[in-house]
Amino acid sequence: MAQSRRLLALKHNILKPPAFPPVLKGSHGLSLHAPSEKDSLSFGYTDGSQAHSTTYTDEKAVAQLPARRWFSKPSKHRLVGFLPTVIVLVITLGFVGLILGFLLSMQYVPAQGGRGFLAAVRHGSFVLDEEEWSGDMSSGGHLRVLVLSALASHLISDTSSILMTLVAYRVGAQWLSVSQGGDSTEIAQNPTPLQYGLLVRLMGSSSISAIGTSCAYAAQSRSRPRLPRLFKQALSMSISVWVLARLVGLADLWLHTTSRSISILRPIPDSSQAYMFAAQFNETICPAVRAGLPEDNAPTSGAFPCISEFEDFVTMDDSMSNIGFSVMANESSTAWKVITLANAADMAILIPGATIDTLYTSYTASTFAFQANCTSLNSLCTRDSTGMTTNCSEAGYPALPYFTDEVSGAVTSNATQINDFVFGVVDGELAGRSLGSVGLNSPVTSNPARMAVQLRWDTHIQGTTSNVHGEVTNSADLAIDTYPNPTLYAGCAVSFFNATVRLDSSQNSWSLVNSTLSSSEFATTLWLPTLWQYATEQLAADLMVTARTKPKDVTMAALNQHLARLTLGAAAGYIEPAKATEVNYLVPTLLGQYPVGPVVALLTLLCLYALLALLVFLSSWWTTDETIISPFDASNDASLVQERSMLVLTRTWLTNPLALVGAAFPGEDGQDDVRSVAKQPSGMVYDGNDSDMRLAIGLTNEGFGIRKRATGQKIGGTEGLQA
């Protein structure tokens, strides 16, 4: 042990190097190490990755070792923190670009209502098609934006240490600057040991614990030394970085809790087969019906083959009329059905029935349409003293009321014989009184045309003297006569159309694409089943309750709908399927819906984080720095020279506790001075395998702390208990 102490004396008195600049005060300088009780010594240096040593056998040889020389290059401006800045910018702005690019490129325009950022703002959320399709048309949804958001949040938390590295460069430059000064003002700008310890915690971790401890210390304004400016800047930057990183995490959580998947029916164009969902007139019906009939049944109009003198196609084929009755009754087994479009003034259109599967299929189809606009005539016609309508000449329908014999059906003047009729008005004549329009001077109507409706209901209600029911308390508000029986008279302006309609199965809705008036001959053909009174009984049954209990405007609106639906339905037997166009097969699809608020918040915070990194970099990127030159000896061998930036070393002392550990536990092997400027923080600490370099923790004569196992040395070289 005596020999070891003599060697230590040689180390301090003979080979001690010049002092480091103030910032490197904790460097070990040159040191010798006695690995055992033998008389051999080990001397060497480390460059951070490789050790070189020479063995000397006596103290005289040690005394003859050449002393190392330390130099420094003059101060110059240096670009510092470029790589950390690039890393932070790539991560933050990279995720901004990825998330924004994904949101804009994967938008599902039909559901979002447009493409682009402003369309998403108007909708309130980004709606994305993120599904992956397989060969069997199955799909799977992925909320990929949430994956990017979560990854960005985690990486931002991890980059806090990188951003604090930039802050350490700025703080280190200030510390080096004030360390060179000698006046009291500059000395006060250097940190105390406690402040330095807090700085290491802030720069190294920026955890809430480190920030809280530093804030608590800074708040003790009366009992603590003055805070240097670099400490205040480090604390404020640590708080800013921590807050921004946590805000990014909160924005990510907000996005996760508000985003969702929505299910829609996505149209996929399908041209694999012919979908017979459209409607066209069956041109073969009329020639087939007339086959074998007398010559006088030839068509009366060369433009349309079904208009003949006796209108045979209406009465000679029961299968056609049966289809019409089924459609009017809205039976589920029919190939057609009629609906009215509320957004097209209650226009009735002919569409495929329940026997044709149109589920999950959207398409455009040609069809036929009918529209009625009826006016109540009861209040416009002449009435007798009892309130019964007697003549409608003033209303423009002089043939109403139309009286017939209850038994024979012949025209009669008996006022009690009023039956149900739906008439066509052609050149002032009523078509439909008997045998349709047979016998009219001009059986072909114009289009638009006029129709007249006469309906009467027999009341079998016992114990009442009034036919006024429901919400109507004044019979004048009704569309009917109440005496002697409820009776309705109406005049209707009607139109037949060749129409194009569109089915959107995702909304289960029909829309009118366009319509054109049908030819007069075709209009005449379609209304003949109604004039043959095929629809009259159904119309009376459908309208009975409404006419007797609702105001006239409600009754007329119902008459418009029922007359339009039944007129088309009665002629449905003469319609055959045709090929639809623009057929899309609707596939259930999951879309990702991301509210605009959390998305904008996340992207804004990422940009602010990048801006903070850029501002810190710009504030210290062109910093004055000094370079340390540490040769092995005085031989000026360039291959043995190390050059280390003082600013980089200062950053290490601020961010990594290994530098402080290396100063607290020198290796005493002659290489401590070289280790103090090692390239890697781990190279600053002696990591020998000798027993006296093992550390123990516990209570000694000097208090509680860490000590070298073999010598009992605590931090700072204090002698304690022997192990």
Side-chain angles (χ1 to χ4, degrees), residues 237-407:
M237 292 301 300
S238 298
I239 295 174
S240 300
V241 171
W242 187 89
V243 169
L244 270 180
R246 297 312 174 271
L247 287 177
V248 170
L250 289 176
D252 172 53
L253 180 61
W254 184 19
L255 183 60
H256 272 74
T257 55
T258 55
S259 300
R260 62 192 181 99
S261 294
I262 57 175
S263 179
I264 66 163
L265 294 175
R266 179 184 182 182
I268 305 297
D270 187 1
S271 58
S272 60
Q273 58 179 308
Y275 289 91
M276 307 302 288
F277 298 153
Q280 65 182 14
F281 188 77
N282 190 342
E283 300 284 354
T284 64
I285 292 178
C286 295
V289 169
R290 286 197 307 274
L293 294 180
E295 290 292 334
D296 57 1
N297 286 324
T300 57
S301 172
F304 212 83
C306 289
I307 300 178
S308 62
E309 182 179 356
F310 298 107
E311 300 167 2
D312 307 297
F313 77 99
V314 180
T315 59
M316 298 297 293
D317 192 336
D318 290 340
S319 63
M320 300 297 104
S321 59
N322 288 337
I323 293 175
F325 286 126
S326 297
V327 173
M328 287 188 291
N330 201 25
E331 294 180 0
S332 60
S333 59
T334 60
W336 301 103
K337 69 177 180 180
V338 181
I339 63 171
T340 57
L341 302 177
N343 56 2
D346 290 329
M347 178 183 288
I349 60 172
L350 191 68
I351 63 173
T355 59
I356 300 178
D357 184 14
T358 60
L359 185 64
Y360 299 135
T361 306
S362 293
Y363 59 89
T364 300
S366 59
T367 187
F368 305 108
F370 180 82
Q371 192 172 44
N373 185 13
C374 297
T375 303
S376 175
L377 300 179
N378 293 63
S379 60
L380 303 178
C381 297
T382 303
R383 296 183 178 183
D384 61 15
S385 59
T386 63
M388 185 180 70
T389 298
T390 57
N391 188 281
C392 291
S393 297
E394 294 183 0
Y397 294 86
L400 296 181
Y402 182 72
F403 302 102
T404 57
D405 181 74
E406 187 173 5
V407 178

Side-chain angles (χ1 to χ4, degrees), residues 156-166 203-205 241 609:
I156 286 299
S157 180
D158 294 337
T159 58
S160 297
S161 59
I162 300 177
L163 187 51
M164 290 310 298
T165 299
L166 292 175
M203 298 292 99
S205 66
V241 171
Y609 198 88

Side-chain angles (χ1 to χ4, degrees), residues 16 54 69 97 112 192 218 274 327 404 458 531 566 582 667 693 711:
K16 185 177 181 181
T54 304
R69 294 185 179 180
Q112 186 174 276
T192 65
V327 173
T404 57
D458 292 325
L531 300 190
L566 294 174
E582 300 179 17
M693 291 309 295
T711 64

Side-chain angles (χ1 to χ4, degrees), residues 10-11 14 97 101 137-138 228 247 251 394 405 453 509 535 543 549 567:
L10 286 172
K11 176 189 74 172
I14 300 175
M137 296 300 289
S138 62
L247 287 177
E394 294 183 0
D405 181 74
V453 178
S509 63
L543 203 61
T549 61
T567 299

